[in-house]
Coordinates of all heavy atoms in Angstrom, one line a residue:
M114 N -154.3 -35.7 -7.1 CA -154.9 -36.7 -6.3 C -156.4 -36.7 -6.6 O -157.0 -35.7 -6.8 CB -154.8 -36.3 -4.8 CG -155.5 -37.2 -3.8 SD -155.4 -36.5 -2.2 CE -153.7 -36.7 -1.8
N115 N -156.9 -37.9 -6.6 CA -158.4 -38.1 -7.0 C -159.1 -38.6 -5.8 O -158.8 -39.6 -5.2 CB -158.5 -39.0 -8.1 CG -159.9 -39.0 -8.7 OD1 -160.8 -39.5 -8.0 ND2 -160.1 -38.4 -9.8
I116 N -160.1 -37.9 -5.3 CA -161.0 -38.3 -4.3 C -162.4 -38.6 -4.8 O -163.0 -37.8 -5.5 CB -161.1 -37.3 -3.1 CG1 -159.7 -36.9 -2.6 CG2 -162.0 -37.8 -2.0 CD1 -159.8 -35.8 -1.6
T117 N -162.8 -39.8 -4.6 CA -164.1 -40.2 -5.1 C -165.1 -40.5 -4.0 O -164.7 -41.2 -3.0 CB -163.9 -41.5 -6.0 OG1 -163.0 -41.2 -7.0 CG2 -165.3 -41.9 -6.7
V118 N -166.2 -40.0 -4.0 CA -167.2 -40.2 -3.0 C -168.4 -41.0 -3.6 O -168.9 -40.6 -4.7 CB -167.8 -38.9 -2.4 CG1 -168.8 -39.2 -1.3 CG2 -166.6 -38.0 -1.9
C119 N -168.8 -42.1 -2.9 CA -169.9 -42.9 -3.4 C -171.2 -42.1 -3.3 O -171.5 -41.6 -2.2 CB -170.0 -44.2 -2.7 SG -171.4 -45.2 -3.2
I120 N -171.9 -42.0 -4.4 CA -173.2 -41.4 -4.3 C -174.4 -42.4 -4.6 O -175.5 -42.0 -5.0 CB -173.3 -40.2 -5.2 CG1 -172.9 -40.6 -6.6 CG2 -172.4 -39.0 -4.8 CD1 -173.2 -39.5 -7.7
G121 N -174.0 -43.7 -4.4 CA -175.1 -44.7 -4.5 C -176.1 -44.5 -3.4 O -175.9 -43.7 -2.5
S122 N -177.3 -45.2 -3.5 CA -178.4 -44.8 -2.7 C -178.1 -45.1 -1.2 O -178.5 -44.3 -0.4 CB -179.7 -45.6 -3.1 OG -179.4 -46.9 -3.3
S123 N -177.4 -46.2 -0.9 CA -177.1 -46.5 0.5 C -176.2 -45.4 1.1 O -176.5 -44.9 2.2 CB -176.5 -47.8 0.6 OG -176.1 -48.1 1.9
C124 N -175.2 -45.0 0.4 CA -174.3 -44.0 0.9 C -175.0 -42.6 0.9 O -174.7 -41.8 1.8 CB -173.0 -43.9 0.0 SG -172.0 -45.4 0.3
H125 N -175.8 -42.4 0.0 CA -176.6 -41.2 -0.1 C -177.4 -41.0 1.2 O -177.4 -40.0 1.9 CB -177.5 -41.1 -1.3 CG -178.3 -39.9 -1.3 ND1 -177.8 -38.7 -1.8 CD2 -179.6 -39.6 -1.0 CE1 -178.8 -37.8 -1.7 NE2 -179.8 -38.3 -1.3
L126 N -178.0 -42.1 1.7 CA -178.8 -42.1 2.9 C -177.9 -41.8 4.1 O -178.3 -41.3 5.1 CB -179.5 -43.4 3.1 CG -180.7 -43.6 2.1 CD1 -181.3 -45.0 2.4 CD2 -181.8 -42.5 2.3
K127 N -176.6 -42.2 4.0 CA -175.7 -42.0 5.2 C -175.0 -40.6 5.1 O -174.2 -40.4 5.9 CB -174.7 -43.1 5.2 CG -175.3 -44.5 5.6 CD -174.2 -45.5 5.6 CE -174.8 -46.9 5.4 NZ -174.0 -47.7 4.6
G128 N -175.4 -39.9 4.1 CA -174.8 -38.5 4.1 C -173.8 -38.2 3.1 O -173.0 -37.3 3.3
S129 N -173.7 -38.9 2.0 CA -172.6 -38.7 1.0 C -172.7 -37.3 0.5 O -171.6 -36.6 0.2 CB -172.6 -39.7 -0.1 OG -173.8 -39.7 -0.8
R130 N -173.9 -36.7 0.3 CA -174.0 -35.4 -0.2 C -173.3 -34.4 0.7 O -172.6 -33.5 0.3 CB -175.4 -35.0 -0.5 CG -175.6 -33.6 -1.1 CD -177.1 -33.3 -1.1 NE -177.7 -34.1 -2.2 CZ -177.9 -33.6 -3.4 NH1 -177.5 -32.5 -3.8 NH2 -178.5 -34.4 -4.3
E131 N -173.6 -34.6 2.0 CA -173.0 -33.7 3.0 C -171.4 -33.8 3.0 O -170.7 -32.8 3.1 CB -173.5 -34.2 4.4 CG -173.6 -33.1 5.4 CD -174.2 -33.7 6.7 OE1 -175.2 -34.4 6.6 OE2 -173.6 -33.4 7.7
I132 N -171.0 -35.0 2.8 CA -169.5 -35.2 2.8 C -168.9 -34.5 1.5 O -167.9 -33.9 1.6 CB -169.2 -36.8 2.8 CG1 -169.6 -37.3 4.1 CG2 -167.7 -37.0 2.4 CD1 -169.3 -38.8 4.3
V133 N -169.6 -34.7 0.4 CA -169.1 -34.0 -0.8 C -169.0 -32.5 -0.6 O -168.0 -31.8 -0.9 CB -170.0 -34.3 -2.0 CG1 -169.6 -33.4 -3.2 CG2 -169.9 -35.7 -2.4
T134 N -170.1 -31.9 0.0 CA -170.1 -30.5 0.3 C -169.0 -30.1 1.2 O -168.2 -29.1 1.0 CB -171.4 -30.1 0.9 OG1 -172.5 -30.6 0.1 CG2 -171.6 -28.6 1.0
K135 N -168.8 -30.8 2.3 CA -167.7 -30.5 3.2 C -166.3 -30.6 2.5 O -165.5 -29.8 2.8 CB -167.7 -31.5 4.4 CG -168.8 -31.1 5.4 CD -168.6 -31.9 6.7 CE -169.8 -31.5 7.6 NZ -169.9 -32.4 8.8
L136 N -166.1 -31.6 1.7 CA -164.8 -31.8 1.1 C -164.6 -30.6 0.1 O -163.5 -30.1 0.1 CB -164.8 -33.1 0.3 CG -164.6 -34.4 1.2 CD1 -164.7 -35.6 0.3 CD2 -163.3 -34.4 1.9
Q137 N -165.6 -30.2 -0.6 CA -165.5 -29.1 -1.5 C -165.1 -27.8 -0.7 O -164.2 -27.1 -1.1 CB -166.8 -28.8 -2.2 CG -167.0 -29.8 -3.4 CD -168.4 -29.7 -3.9 OE1 -169.4 -29.2 -3.3 NE2 -168.6 -30.2 -5.1
E138 N -165.7 -27.6 0.4 CA -165.4 -26.4 1.2 C -163.9 -26.5 1.7 O -163.2 -25.5 1.7 CB -166.3 -26.4 2.5 CG -167.7 -25.9 2.1 CD -168.7 -26.1 3.3 OE1 -168.2 -26.5 4.4 OE2 -169.9 -25.9 3.1
L139 N -163.5 -27.7 2.2 CA -162.2 -27.8 2.7 C -161.1 -27.6 1.6 O -160.1 -27.0 1.8 CB -162.0 -29.2 3.4 CG -162.8 -29.4 4.7 CD1 -163.0 -30.8 5.1 CD2 -162.0 -28.6 5.8
V140 N -161.4 -28.2 0.4 CA -160.5 -28.0 -0.7 C -160.3 -26.6 -1.0 O -159.2 -26.1 -1.2 CB -161.0 -28.8 -1.9 CG1 -160.2 -28.4 -3.2 CG2 -160.8 -30.3 -1.7
R141 N -161.4 -25.8 -1.0 CA -161.4 -24.4 -1.3 C -160.6 -23.7 -0.2 O -159.8 -22.8 -0.5 CB -162.8 -23.9 -1.4 CG -163.0 -23.0 -2.7 CD -164.5 -22.6 -2.8 NE -165.4 -23.7 -3.1 CZ -166.5 -23.9 -2.5 NH1 -167.0 -23.1 -1.5 NH2 -167.3 -25.0 -2.8
K142 N -161.0 -24.0 1.0 CA -160.4 -23.3 2.2 C -158.8 -23.5 2.2 O -158.1 -22.6 2.4 CB -160.9 -23.9 3.4 CG -160.5 -23.3 4.7 CD -161.3 -23.8 5.9 CE -160.5 -23.8 7.2 NZ -161.0 -24.8 8.1
E143 N -158.4 -24.7 1.8 CA -156.9 -24.9 1.8 C -156.3 -24.6 0.4 O -155.1 -24.9 0.2 CB -156.7 -26.4 2.2 CG -157.2 -26.8 3.6 CD -156.5 -26.0 4.7 OE1 -155.4 -25.6 4.5 OE2 -157.1 -25.9 5.8
K144 N -157.1 -24.1 -0.5 CA -156.6 -23.7 -1.8 C -156.0 -24.9 -2.5 O -154.9 -24.8 -3.1 CB -155.6 -22.6 -1.7 CG -156.3 -21.3 -1.1 CD -155.5 -20.1 -1.4 CE -156.0 -18.8 -0.7 NZ -157.2 -18.9 0.0
L145 N -156.7 -26.0 -2.5 CA -156.1 -27.2 -3.1 C -156.8 -27.6 -4.4 O -156.7 -28.8 -4.9 CB -156.2 -28.4 -2.1 CG -155.3 -28.2 -0.9 CD1 -155.6 -29.3 0.1 CD2 -153.8 -28.3 -1.3
E146 N -157.5 -26.7 -5.0 CA -158.3 -27.0 -6.2 C -157.4 -27.5 -7.3 O -157.8 -28.3 -8.1 CB -159.0 -25.7 -6.8 CG -160.1 -25.2 -5.9 CD -159.6 -24.1 -5.0 OE1 -158.4 -24.0 -4.6 OE2 -160.5 -23.2 -4.6
E147 N -156.1 -27.1 -7.3 CA -155.2 -27.5 -8.4 C -154.8 -29.0 -8.1 O -154.5 -29.7 -9.1 CB -153.9 -26.7 -8.3 CG -154.2 -25.2 -8.5 CD -154.2 -24.8 -9.9 OE1 -153.2 -24.9 -10.6 OE2 -155.3 -24.5 -10.4
S148 N -154.7 -29.4 -6.9 CA -154.1 -30.7 -6.6 C -155.2 -31.8 -6.4 O -154.8 -33.0 -6.5 CB -153.3 -30.7 -5.3 OG -152.8 -29.4 -5.0
I149 N -156.4 -31.4 -6.1 CA -157.4 -32.4 -5.8 C -158.6 -32.4 -6.7 O -159.1 -31.4 -7.0 CB -157.9 -32.2 -4.3 CG1 -156.8 -32.5 -3.4 CG2 -159.1 -33.2 -4.0 CD1 -157.1 -32.3 -1.9
E150 N -158.9 -33.6 -7.2 CA -160.0 -33.7 -8.1 C -161.1 -34.5 -7.3 O -160.8 -35.6 -6.9 CB -159.6 -34.4 -9.4 CG -160.7 -34.3 -10.4 CD -160.3 -35.2 -11.6 OE1 -159.1 -35.6 -11.7 OE2 -161.2 -35.5 -12.5
L151 N -162.3 -33.9 -7.2 CA -163.3 -34.6 -6.5 C -164.3 -35.2 -7.5 O -164.8 -34.4 -8.4 CB -164.1 -33.6 -5.6 CG -163.6 -33.3 -4.2 CD1 -164.5 -32.2 -3.6 CD2 -163.7 -34.5 -3.4
T152 N -164.6 -36.4 -7.4 CA -165.6 -37.0 -8.3 C -166.6 -37.9 -7.5 O -166.3 -38.2 -6.3 CB -164.9 -37.9 -9.4 OG1 -164.0 -38.8 -8.7 CG2 -164.2 -37.1 -10.4
G153 N -167.7 -38.2 -8.1 CA -168.7 -39.0 -7.5 C -168.6 -40.4 -8.2 O -168.1 -40.5 -9.3
S154 N -169.1 -41.4 -7.5 CA -169.1 -42.7 -8.1 C -170.4 -43.4 -7.7 O -171.0 -43.1 -6.6 CB -167.9 -43.5 -7.6 OG -168.2 -44.8 -7.3
F155 N -170.8 -44.4 -8.5 CA -172.0 -45.2 -8.1 C -171.5 -46.2 -7.1 O -170.3 -46.2 -6.7 CB -172.6 -45.8 -9.3 CG -173.3 -44.8 -10.2 CD1 -172.8 -44.5 -11.4 CD2 -174.3 -44.0 -9.7 CE1 -173.4 -43.5 -12.2 CE2 -174.9 -43.0 -10.4 CZ -174.4 -42.8 -11.7
C156 N -172.4 -47.1 -6.6 CA -172.2 -48.0 -5.5 C -170.8 -48.7 -5.7 O -170.5 -49.2 -6.8 CB -173.3 -49.0 -5.5 SG -173.1 -50.2 -4.1
M157 N -170.0 -48.7 -4.6 CA -168.8 -49.4 -4.7 C -168.8 -50.8 -4.0 O -167.8 -51.4 -3.8 CB -167.7 -48.6 -3.9 CG -167.5 -47.2 -4.5 SD -166.2 -46.3 -3.5 CE -166.4 -44.7 -4.2
G158 N -170.0 -51.2 -3.7 CA -170.2 -52.6 -3.2 C -169.9 -52.7 -1.7 O -169.7 -53.8 -1.3
Q159 N -169.7 -51.6 -1.0 CA -169.3 -51.7 0.4 C -170.4 -51.0 1.3 O -170.1 -50.3 2.2 CB -168.0 -51.0 0.6 CG -166.9 -51.6 -0.2 CD -166.4 -52.9 0.4 OE1 -166.6 -53.2 1.6 NE2 -165.8 -53.7 -0.5
C160 N -171.6 -51.1 0.9 CA -172.7 -50.3 1.5 C -172.8 -50.6 3.0 O -173.3 -49.7 3.7 CB -174.1 -50.7 0.9 SG -174.1 -50.7 -0.9
V161 N -172.4 -51.7 3.5 CA -172.6 -52.0 4.9 C -171.7 -51.1 5.8 O -172.0 -50.9 6.9 CB -172.2 -53.5 5.3 CG1 -173.2 -54.4 4.8 CG2 -170.8 -53.8 4.6
R162 N -170.7 -50.5 5.2 CA -169.9 -49.6 6.0 C -170.4 -48.2 5.9 O -171.6 -48.0 5.6 CB -168.4 -49.7 5.5 CG -168.1 -51.2 5.3 CD -166.7 -51.6 5.2 NE -165.8 -50.6 4.8 CZ -164.5 -50.8 4.7 NH1 -164.0 -52.0 5.1 NH2 -163.7 -49.9 4.4
G163 N -169.6 -47.2 6.3 CA -170.0 -45.8 6.2 C -170.1 -45.4 4.8 O -170.1 -46.2 3.9
V164 N -170.1 -44.1 4.5 CA -170.1 -43.6 3.1 C -168.7 -44.0 2.6 O -167.7 -43.7 3.2 CB -170.3 -42.1 3.1 CG1 -170.2 -41.6 1.7 CG2 -171.7 -41.8 3.6
C165 N -168.7 -44.6 1.4 CA -167.4 -45.0 0.8 C -166.8 -43.8 0.1 O -167.4 -43.2 -0.7 CB -167.7 -46.1 -0.1 SG -168.2 -47.6 0.7
V166 N -165.5 -43.6 0.5 CA -164.7 -42.6 -0.2 C -163.4 -43.2 -0.5 O -162.8 -44.0 0.3 CB -164.4 -41.4 0.8 CG1 -163.6 -40.4 0.2 CG2 -165.8 -40.8 1.3
T167 N -162.9 -42.9 -1.7 CA -161.5 -43.4 -2.0 C -160.6 -42.3 -2.3 O -161.0 -41.2 -2.8 CB -161.5 -44.4 -3.3 OG1 -161.9 -43.6 -4.4 CG2 -162.4 -45.6 -3.1
I168 N -159.3 -42.5 -1.9 CA -158.3 -41.6 -2.3 C -157.3 -42.4 -3.2 O -156.7 -43.3 -2.8 CB -157.4 -41.1 -1.1 CG1 -158.3 -40.4 -0.1 CG2 -156.3 -40.1 -1.5 CD1 -157.6 -39.9 1.2
D169 N -157.3 -41.9 -4.5 CA -156.4 -42.7 -5.4 C -156.6 -44.2 -5.3 O -155.7 -44.9 -5.3 CB -155.0 -42.3 -5.3 CG -154.7 -40.9 -5.7 OD1 -155.5 -40.3 -6.5 OD2 -153.7 -40.3 -5.2
G170 N -157.9 -44.6 -5.1 CA -158.2 -46.0 -5.2 C -158.2 -46.7 -3.8 O -158.6 -47.8 -3.7
T171 N -157.7 -46.0 -2.7 CA -157.7 -46.6 -1.4 C -159.0 -46.3 -0.7 O -159.4 -45.2 -0.7 CB -156.6 -46.1 -0.5 OG1 -155.3 -46.2 -1.2 CG2 -156.5 -46.8 0.8
L172 N -159.7 -47.4 -0.2 CA -161.0 -47.2 0.3 C -161.1 -46.8 1.7 O -160.4 -47.4 2.6 CB -161.8 -48.5 0.0 CG -163.3 -48.5 0.4 CD1 -164.1 -47.7 -0.5 CD2 -163.8 -49.9 0.4
Y173 N -161.9 -45.8 2.0 CA -162.2 -45.4 3.4 C -163.7 -45.4 3.6 O -164.5 -45.3 2.6 CB -161.7 -44.0 3.7 CG -160.2 -43.9 3.6 CD1 -159.6 -43.7 2.3 CD2 -159.4 -44.1 4.7 CE1 -158.2 -43.6 2.2 CE2 -158.0 -44.0 4.5 CZ -157.4 -43.7 3.3 OH -156.1 -43.6 3.2
S174 N -164.2 -45.5 4.8 CA -165.6 -45.3 5.1 C -165.8 -44.2 6.1 O -165.1 -44.2 7.1 CB -166.3 -46.6 5.7 OG -165.7 -47.7 5.1
L175 N -166.7 -43.3 5.8 CA -166.8 -42.1 6.6 C -168.2 -41.8 7.0 O -169.2 -42.2 6.3 CB -166.4 -40.9 5.8 CG -165.0 -40.7 5.3 CD1 -164.9 -39.3 4.7 CD2 -164.0 -40.9 6.4
S176 N -168.4 -41.1 8.1 CA -169.7 -40.5 8.4 C -169.4 -39.0 8.2 O -168.3 -38.5 8.2 CB -170.1 -40.7 9.8 OG -169.1 -40.1 10.7
P177 N -170.5 -38.2 7.9 CA -170.3 -36.8 7.7 C -169.4 -36.1 8.8 O -168.6 -35.3 8.5 CB -171.7 -36.2 7.6 CG -172.5 -37.4 7.1 CD -171.9 -38.6 7.8
E178 N -169.6 -36.5 10.0 CA -168.9 -35.9 11.2 C -167.4 -36.2 11.1 O -166.6 -35.4 11.6 CB -169.4 -36.5 12.5 CG -170.8 -36.2 12.8 CD -171.8 -37.1 12.0 OE1 -171.5 -38.3 11.8 OE2 -172.8 -36.6 11.5
Q179 N -167.0 -37.2 10.4 CA -165.6 -37.6 10.3 C -164.9 -36.9 9.2 O -163.7 -37.0 9.0 CB -165.4 -39.1 10.2 CG -165.9 -39.9 11.4 CD -165.9 -41.4 11.1 OE1 -166.4 -41.8 10.0 NE2 -165.4 -42.2 12.0
T180 N -165.6 -36.2 8.3 CA -165.1 -35.7 7.1 C -163.9 -34.8 7.3 O -162.8 -34.9 6.7 CB -166.1 -34.9 6.3 OG1 -167.3 -35.8 6.1 CG2 -165.6 -34.6 4.9
E181 N -164.0 -33.8 8.3 CA -162.9 -32.9 8.5 C -161.7 -33.6 9.0 O -160.6 -33.3 8.4 CB -163.4 -31.8 9.4 CG -162.3 -30.7 9.5 CD -162.9 -29.4 10.0 OE1 -164.1 -29.2 10.0 OE2 -162.1 -28.5 10.4
G182 N -161.8 -34.5 9.9 CA -160.7 -35.2 10.4 C -160.0 -36.0 9.3 O -158.8 -36.1 9.2
F183 N -160.8 -36.7 8.6 CA -160.3 -37.5 7.4 C -159.5 -36.6 6.5 O -158.5 -36.9 6.0 CB -161.6 -38.1 6.7 CG -161.3 -38.6 5.4 CD1 -160.7 -39.9 5.2 CD2 -161.6 -37.9 4.2 CE1 -160.4 -40.3 3.9 CE2 -161.4 -38.3 3.0 CZ -160.8 -39.6 2.8
F184 N -160.1 -35.4 6.2 CA -159.4 -34.5 5.2 C -158.0 -34.1 5.7 O -157.1 -34.2 5.0 CB -160.3 -33.3 5.0 CG -159.7 -32.3 4.0 CD1 -159.9 -32.5 2.6 CD2 -158.9 -31.2 4.4 CE1 -159.4 -31.7 1.7 CE2 -158.4 -30.4 3.5 CZ -158.6 -30.6 2.1
Y185 N -158.0 -33.7 7.0 CA -156.7 -33.3 7.5 C -155.7 -34.4 7.7 O -154.5 -34.2 7.4 CB -156.8 -32.4 8.7 CG -157.4 -31.0 8.4 CD1 -158.7 -30.7 8.6 CD2 -156.5 -30.1 7.7 CE1 -159.2 -29.4 8.2 CE2 -157.0 -28.9 7.3 CZ -158.3 -28.6 7.5 OH -158.8 -27.4 7.1
K186 N -156.2 -35.6 8.1 CA -155.3 -36.7 8.3 C -154.9 -37.4 7.0 O -153.7 -37.4 6.6 CB -155.9 -37.7 9.3 CG -155.1 -38.9 9.6 CD -155.6 -39.6 10.8 CE -154.8 -40.9 11.1 NZ -155.3 -42.1 10.4
E187 N -155.9 -37.8 6.3 CA -155.6 -38.7 5.1 C -155.2 -37.8 3.9 O -154.3 -38.2 3.2 CB -156.7 -39.6 4.8 CG -157.2 -40.5 6.0 CD -156.1 -41.5 6.4 OE1 -155.2 -41.7 5.6 OE2 -156.2 -42.0 7.5
V188 N -156.0 -36.8 3.6 CA -155.8 -36.0 2.4 C -154.5 -35.1 2.5 O -153.6 -35.2 1.8 CB -157.0 -35.2 2.0 CG1 -156.8 -34.4 0.7 CG2 -158.2 -36.2 1.8
M189 N -154.6 -34.3 3.5 CA -153.4 -33.4 3.7 C -152.2 -34.2 4.1 O -151.1 -33.8 3.7 CB -153.7 -32.4 4.8 CG -154.9 -31.5 4.6 SD -154.6 -30.2 3.3 CE -153.8 -29.0 4.2
G190 N -152.3 -35.2 4.8 CA -151.2 -36.1 5.2 C -150.5 -36.6 3.9 O -149.3 -36.8 3.9
R191 N -151.3 -36.9 2.9 CA -150.6 -37.5 1.7 C -150.0 -36.4 0.9 O -149.0 -36.6 0.1 CB -151.7 -38.1 0.8 CG -152.1 -39.5 1.3 CD -153.2 -40.0 0.5 NE -153.6 -41.3 1.0 CZ -153.7 -42.4 0.2 NH1 -153.4 -42.4 -1.1 NH2 -154.1 -43.5 0.7
L192 N -150.5 -35.2 1.0 CA -150.0 -34.1 0.1 C -148.7 -33.5 0.7 O -147.8 -33.1 0.0 CB -151.0 -33.0 0.0 CG -152.2 -33.3 -0.9 CD1 -153.3 -32.1 -0.7 CD2 -151.8 -33.4 -2.3
T193 N -148.6 -33.5 2.1 CA -147.5 -33.0 2.7 C -146.9 -34.1 3.6 O -147.1 -34.1 4.8 CB -147.8 -31.7 3.5 OG1 -148.9 -32.1 4.4 CG2 -148.1 -30.6 2.7
P194 N -146.1 -35.0 3.0 CA -145.6 -36.1 3.8 C -144.6 -35.7 4.9 O -144.0 -34.7 4.8 CB -145.0 -37.0 2.8 CG -144.9 -36.3 1.5 CD -145.6 -35.0 1.7
Ligands
FES1468 S1 -174.1 -47.2 -2.1 FE1 -172.0 -46.6 -1.6 S2 -171.0 -48.5 -1.5 FE2 -173.0 -49.0 -2.1

C-alpha cells in the first residue's frame, strides 16, 4: 500500500510535516513497515482542502489531529478487511 502526503507549500502550512511524522510513528507502532510505503508529493491541486493524502491513489484531506483516526479507519481498515 502506498500512502502519499502532499508536501506542497499550502499543505505544509496546514501541517503536512506533522502528519508525515505521525504516520511514520503509527506505521512503526503497528509494525507495518513491510506493507506500507510512505512517500511525499508536490502540490496535488487540492490546496483549498486539508492536507492532501492519498492511499493508493484515493484522495483524502486531513488535519494533523485527524491523522490517528484516519490511520486506524482508512489504512488499517484496508489492510484487515
Ligand atoms: S499544496 Fe497540497 S494540494 Fe496543493
Side-chain angles (χ1 to χ4, degrees):
M114 177 188 289
N115 190 290
I116 303 178
T117 305
V118 181
C119 177
I120 51 168
S122 51
S123 172
C124 289
H125 179 78
L126 289 175
K127 291 180 201 141
S129 60
R130 181 185 289 267
E131 211 178 313
I132 291 179
V133 171
T134 308
K135 279 191 184 168
L136 286 173
Q137 283 169 339
E138 284 168 8
L139 288 161
V140 165
R141 227 176 292 133
K142 183 169 150 207
E143 300 297 335
K144 303 198 181 355
L145 292 171
E146 292 97 332
E147 303 273 290
S148 335
I149 295 179
E150 192 186 345
L151 271 176
T152 47
S154 142
F155 292 112
C156 180
M157 299 181 188
Q159 300 287 335
C160 312
V161 283
R162 315 202 333 181
V164 175
C165 292
V166 178
T167 64
I168 302 178
D169 291 339
T171 307
L172 184 69
Y173 299 86
S174 323
L175 300 185
S176 66
E178 299 72 43
Q179 294 171 318
T180 308
E181 185 157 347
F183 164 81
F184 182 82
Y185 285 107
K186 180 164 178 273
E187 305 295 344
V188 179
M189 298 289 277
R191 280 173 184 238
L192 287 172
T193 49

